[in-house]
Amino acid sequence: MTFYSFFAAEGFGLNLNLFETNILNLAVVIFGLYKFLPNFLGGMLERRRKAILVDLEDAEERLATATTSLAKAQKDLAAAEDKAMQIRKDCKARAEAIRLESEKRTVEEMARIKQGAASDLDAEAARVSAQLRREAARLAIEKALATLPGKLDKKTKDKLVSQSIKNMGAV
């Protein structure tokens, strides 16, 4: 039994035969990778690194632009909110002024209507009073004329009728 087979029989073995283990092939491949791969991979990695840096710079520029736009939009929003608040205040003040003006006009109109009604009432009362006075005077004259014919002579009658006519025209 050889040294090589002893280890192989146990399930674990160490093969020291260079041609069977392909150690020379592996050494050539590793040397080739060591010699040529850094230039090939390095160039690829350098190009990739530059592309990533360009993308990062672009992203930073877009971020700066977006931040500036956001700040401007927030400033515009604050200005719009202030303007909306001012418009709301102005509208409330205008509505209050309109309400007060409307109340004032209503009160004035009610006073004018009341004054018109009072003057209409006074005019009607004066008309009725004048009519009642005329009617009372007419009745008094008729009564006096009915009772006086037997008590007065013709001259006194004419004088009384003339005076009564003058008094009726004055009333």
Side-chain angles (χ1 to χ4, degrees), residues 1-148:
M1 182 178 251
T2 64
F3 177 72
Y4 300 115
S5 60
F6 174 72
F7 288 111
E10 294 291 322
F12 175 76
L14 183 60
N15 190 355
L16 296 177
N17 186 351
L18 291 178
F19 296 111
E20 284 182 12
T21 59
N22 279 329
I23 289 192
L24 288 177
N25 290 337
L26 287 173
V28 169
V29 168
I30 289 174
F31 177 74
L33 289 174
Y34 174 75
K35 187 70 177 165
F36 300 111
L37 195 58
N39 291 336
F40 177 72
L41 281 180
M44 281 179 40
L45 290 175
E46 184 62 26
R47 284 190 303 272
R48 182 67 184 143
R49 185 182 71 80
K50 285 181 182 177
I52 289 172
L53 286 176
V54 168
D55 289 345
L56 283 174
E57 288 173 359
D58 184 45
E60 286 175 354
E61 287 176 12
R62 287 192 312 236
L63 176 63
T65 303
T67 302
T68 304
S69 296
L70 176 64
K72 185 180 181 303
Q74 287 174 338
K75 182 180 172 186
D76 291 346
L77 175 64
E81 286 175 345
D82 289 344
K83 188 168 186 168
M85 191 69 85
Q86 185 62 38
I87 289 171
R88 242 184 249 121
K89 274 187 199 176
D90 292 347
C91 287
K92 284 182 181 178
R94 179 76 174 129
E96 183 66 18
I98 289 171
R99 185 185 65 78
L100 291 174
E101 181 65 26
S102 176
E103 286 177 359
K104 181 181 171 189
R105 280 195 317 246
T106 301
V107 167
E108 288 172 354
E109 185 66 22
M110 287 172 58
R112 187 185 63 76
I113 289 172
K114 186 175 179 181
Q115 185 179 5
S119 86
D120 287 348
L121 183 62
D122 289 344
E124 185 65 22
R127 186 187 67 77
V128 168
S129 177
Q131 186 178 2
L132 286 175
R133 272 188 263 129
R134 277 192 299 260
E135 186 66 27
R138 187 185 63 77
L139 288 174
I141 290 172
E142 284 178 5
K143 186 176 179 182
L145 288 177
T147 58
L148 284 180

